[in-house]
Structure formats: C-alpha cells, structure tokens
Amino acid sequence: MRERLSDILKKAKRLWLRLLLLLHPLIKWGRQLPWEKLAWMKRLNPLKYIKRMDWYIIKKFIGTYIYSIILIISISIVFDVNENLAKFTTYHAPLRAIVFDYYLNFVPYFANLFSPLFVFIAVIFFTSKLAGNSEIIAMLACGMSFKRLLRPYIISAALIAVLNFYLGAYVIPKGTVVRHDFESLYKNNKKNTTATNIQLMVDRGTVAYISQYDDIRKTGYGFSLYKFDKKKLVSHMTASVIQYDTISDSRYHWKARSYKIRELKGMREKITSGSEIDTLIQMEPMDLIFSKGQQETFTSPELLRYISKQQERGSSNVVQYEVEYHKRIATSFASFILTIIGVSLSSRKRKGGMGMYLGIGLALSFSYILLQTISATFAINADTPPMLAAWVPNILYAIIAYFCYRQAPN
C-alpha cells in the first residue's frame, strides 16, 4: 500500500514539473508586461464600485424578492389545484403531466407576469424594515446622498429586469406550448384546430386559397394557388388535398394530391396534371390557424420574423403579436420604475408606521399592471400603435417615479 502511494506521489510530482515547464514561457512573458501602465484597467472592473453596504442591500433585495415569489405562487398553486382538481380527475390527467407539464410551466409564467408587483413588494418590505431599524438614517447621517443609496437598488432591479426579459423572450414561450397542450387535453380548453375559407398572400403576386384546413393532420382541402404578373394571371394550380411535410429538412415543403397546373402564356395555355407532386409554397401551418394566446408561444425572434412575414403579405392580424413583442421589453423596465417608487415611499422612518404608504404603493403597482392590460386591449381593438400602447404605462409611471424621487430626500 505504501509503495503504491509513493508511486502515485512520484507521478503527480512529474506531472506538476511538466506543467511548470509548459507554463514557464507564459510566466516569463507576464513578468515582462508593464503592469504599472496597465493599472487604469482596474477602473473598468464594475465590482470595484460595489461596496459592502451595496452587497448588503442587494442580498436583502434579491432574497426578499425570491421569498415573495415563493410565498405568493405557492398560494396561487393551492387555489389552482382546488379549482382544477375536478377537471384533472374527470379527464384522468396523470400526476407526472400535472407536475411537469402544467405546474412546472405555470410557475415561471405567472412569476414573470407579476414580477413588477413582486419587485415592489420586496422593496417596500425590506426597505421599511431598514428604515424602522434606523439603518437608512445611519447611512444618510454618514454623508451618503439619497442618489448614492439608490445604487444597489438599481443594480438589483437591473439583474431582475435582465432575468425577466430572458425568461419572457426565450424560455417561457416554449413552456407555454407544453402548458397549452396539457390544457387542451386535460382541462377541456380546446384549441382551434380547423379553419375555413383561408386566403393568404404567400409571396409577391402569389395568392393561396384553402377551402378547409385541419391543423391536426396538417392537411388542407380544396387548394388553389394563383400567380400574377402585373395584375395578369400567369399560373393557376389546384389540388384536392395539400399536406405539409413535417419530416422534411426544409421549410415550406408541401405535398399536393390530384393536382392540376395551368400555365398561361399569351393566348396559349399549358395544362399539367398528376396524382401527387412535391412543391414549395411559402406558408406554414402556423400561418393558417389563429388561436387565442398563440402570440405567447413564440419566442421574441420568432415573433419578429412572424410579424415581418405577415406585414409583407399585407395581413392586418398582427397587432396582438406586435403588442406582445413590445410588452416583453417594456415590462422589463417596470422593475426600475417600481423600485424607485418603492424606495422613495418606504425609506423614511415614520411614527405612524408604513401602513398608509404601503397602501399607496400597492395601489400604484396594481394600477400599473391594470393599465398595461387596458392599453394592450386598446391597441388590439382600436387603432392605437402597438409600441405606444406597450410603453404608455412606463411613461406615465416614470413621471410618478421621478416625482417620488424628488420628494424623498425632503
């Protein structure tokens, strides 16, 4: 045993010596660098500006934020289970699907949806506690300005905003697809899987028509494709059945059955027909079916591509997609606005307690979320520009936040 241990130590020593020999040129080069001249690079380190007091507030902020999310979402899950337990039992939903397909995607969706409210609750809760313990008075008495006090709050709000945007733009949409599929199976929230009389501009001068479409089978019936050149019909294709090729490596791959193609060249006409043909048509199943909440299942890059494609086709049914795209960006900035309002209202120690100011703050945060919903509804049902509708709540409450910020030091 001792001999084996000594052999292992000898091998480790040899490996260490070889590593030193390999690193020797790099160490020698590093010693020759003019480190005195590169001292300015230390100023680029952002952690240099975060002091012990900043870390203390950041930990309090993030910890209280996570605690409030766990507390409120736990209560929401209890109510949701109580409401949907009968449906889960009726449709024989398996426990694994309930936990992993529904609630595992339910939690991040609603946590991200009400994240501005959680941010405000966290700020009010722990800042009022700091003020009650005279900790903020001590900080300001040491010569710290209110603007300097806001630094750790803004850093924490930035971390939460980046996380919310990433989850809302890339992660949650994929989970929403799974959750919607679960609801259609076990909660009887049937998705729209059929459409009739679909007319779609698939390319410049090219119009497709489908009499009836079944999204489950990815199959359309009574298909026609018209191609125009300077408002003159140059080609007309018909097919009794057209089916999307889901296993193809390329997009826009369709199979047409019982087809007939008419090509018009001046006074001449060429007719080609057959039983089946593979063709490329610039449309996909998601272009043919519009279901409630479909915009929530697209990631932000997919939303942008979809909006651009539909606008090129001249479609007017893209307002809710534009609102969803801009809302994801605008909601991330709500963390900064509600953080400033929360700090401004709760940073002062008061004899009567924080009851009235807590009520004012909660009313502001709830009204902010309500205004977001109302503005989105106006954008969809009226002629309000989607970008303006998404940013109006932020603009209004940024003014309120500035007013609270100006009044707080007084």
Side-chain angles (χ1 to χ4, degrees):
M1 186 69 181
R2 291 181 180 176
E3 293 177 357
R4 189 176 180 183
L5 184 61
S6 62
D7 291 339
I8 292 171
L9 291 173
K10 288 179 182 178
K11 289 180 181 178
K13 188 176 180 180
R14 290 195 204 103
L15 288 172
W16 175 248
L17 290 173
R18 289 177 182 176
L19 183 63
L20 286 177
L21 288 172
L22 290 172
L23 294 175
H24 179 71
L26 185 63
I27 296 169
K28 187 178 179 181
W29 173 76
R31 287 176 179 173
Q32 294 173 355
L33 287 175
W35 292 107
E36 296 80 7
K37 296 180 180 179
L38 298 175
W40 60 271
M41 294 182 67
K42 294 181 180 179
R43 299 175 187 174
L44 300 177
N45 183 12
L47 296 178
K48 178 185 176 182
Y49 300 98
I50 304 177
K51 307 301 181 182
R52 184 176 297 179
M53 183 274 295
D54 298 321
W55 285 117
Y56 175 71
I57 293 178
I58 290 171
K59 289 176 183 177
K60 287 278 187 181
F61 192 158
I62 302 296
T64 311
Y65 172 76
I66 295 171
Y67 175 77
S68 62
I69 286 178
I70 293 171
L71 184 63
I72 297 174
I73 292 297
S74 300
I75 297 170
S76 303
I77 290 174
V78 171
F79 279 103
D80 191 79
V81 169
N82 184 51
E83 182 182 352
N84 295 310
L85 188 59
K87 291 182 180 180
F88 293 157
T89 307
T90 302
Y91 293 100
H92 306 289
L95 181 62
R96 181 182 179 84
I98 293 172
V99 174
F100 292 100
D101 293 347
Y102 183 66
Y103 283 110
L104 196 64
N105 297 304
F106 170 93
V107 170
Y109 174 79
F110 283 96
N112 197 65
L113 182 65
F114 295 107
S115 179
L117 178 61
F118 297 143
V119 166
F120 184 80
I121 291 172
V123 170
I124 284 282
F125 182 78
F126 88 87
T127 306
S128 60
K129 192 173 180 181
L130 292 178
N133 295 334
S134 302
E135 294 182 63
I136 291 182
I137 293 174
M139 295 175 191
L140 298 176
C142 293
M144 181 184 294
S145 64
F146 187 76
K147 183 179 178 181
R148 173 63 182 84
L149 178 65
L150 276 177
R151 183 191 291 177
Y153 287 93
I154 297 301
I155 292 171
S156 303
L159 294 174
I160 293 171
V162 170
L163 178 63
N164 288 341
F165 176 75
Y166 177 75
L167 290 175
Y170 298 97
V171 178
I172 292 176
K174 297 177 182 178
T176 304
V177 175
V178 179
R179 185 168 57 85
H180 283 184
D181 291 340
F182 176 91
E183 290 176 349
S184 65
L185 286 172
Y186 303 113
K187 288 183 66 178
N188 202 25
N189 292 344
K190 298 299 182 183
K191 293 196 299 184
N192 186 19
T193 58
T194 60
T196 57
N197 297 325
I198 303 169
Q199 189 170 346
L200 183 69
M201 183 180 286
V202 296
D203 200 358
R204 183 172 294 179
T206 306
V207 180
Y209 173 80
I210 300 176
S211 176
Q212 187 175 359
Y213 178 74
D214 183 0
D215 192 53
I216 296 175
R217 296 182 176 87
K218 311 295 182 192
T219 303
Y221 304 93
F223 174 76
S224 299
L225 186 69
Y226 303 87
K227 290 185 179 180
F228 296 90
D229 184 15
K230 297 179 181 179
K231 298 182 180 181
K232 291 184 179 180
L233 183 66
V234 295
S235 177
H236 178 217
M237 174 184 176
T238 59
S240 60
V241 179
I242 186 168
Q243 186 175 30
Y244 188 70
D245 192 351
T246 56
I247 62 173
S248 175
D249 294 333
S250 61
R251 297 168 65 190
Y252 313 125
H253 193 190
W254 295 83
K255 289 185 177 181
R257 298 186 179 92
S258 300
Y259 71 93
K260 182 185 287 187
I261 302 174
R262 297 173 58 206
E263 295 180 4
L264 305 173
K265 295 181 180 179
M267 299 297 293
R268 295 183 179 182
E269 180 181 10
K270 180 182 178 182
I271 299 176
T272 307
S273 61
S275 59
E276 184 174 308
I277 187 174
D278 292 340
T279 181
L280 292 174
I281 305 171
Q282 292 190 17
M283 64 179 185
E284 296 178 277
M286 68 178 181
D287 300 330
L288 307 176
I289 293 289
F290 298 96
S291 57
K292 184 180 179 181
Q294 185 179 4
Q295 67 274 14
E296 296 177 353
T297 63
F298 292 166
T299 62
S300 288
E302 288 172 348
L303 267 177
L304 203 58
R305 286 196 297 268
Y306 182 83
I307 292 166
S308 177
K309 183 170 65 175
Q310 293 300 103
Q311 287 176 340
E312 288 176 0
R313 291 172 173 173
S315 176
S316 59
N317 194 23
V318 294
V319 178
Q320 61 267 37
Y321 297 90
E322 291 180 294
V323 170
E324 178 68 21
Y325 177 78
H326 293 296
K327 190 173 75 171
R328 291 177 183 178
I329 302 172
T331 304
S332 301
F333 285 89
S335 300
F336 297 100
I337 297 169
L338 293 178
T339 295
I340 294 171
I341 294 174
V343 177
S344 302
L345 291 176
S346 60
S347 59
R348 184 181 296 179
K349 186 175 181 180
R350 296 175 174 89
K351 286 184 178 181
M354 286 300 301
M356 184 180 73
Y357 293 92
L358 180 61
I360 294 171
L362 288 174
L364 286 172
S365 59
F366 277 115
S367 61
Y368 174 83
I369 296 170
L370 180 63
L371 185 60
Q372 273 189 324
T373 307
I374 293 172
S375 61
T377 306
F378 268 106
I380 294 170
N381 299 325
D383 294 330
T384 309
M387 186 174 180
L388 179 63
W391 283 93
V392 159
N394 280 6
I395 295 169
L396 292 177
Y397 280 80
I399 296 170
I400 296 172
Y402 179 76
F403 175 77
C404 294
Y405 167 74
R406 297 294 297 176
Q407 294 296 318
N410 300 325

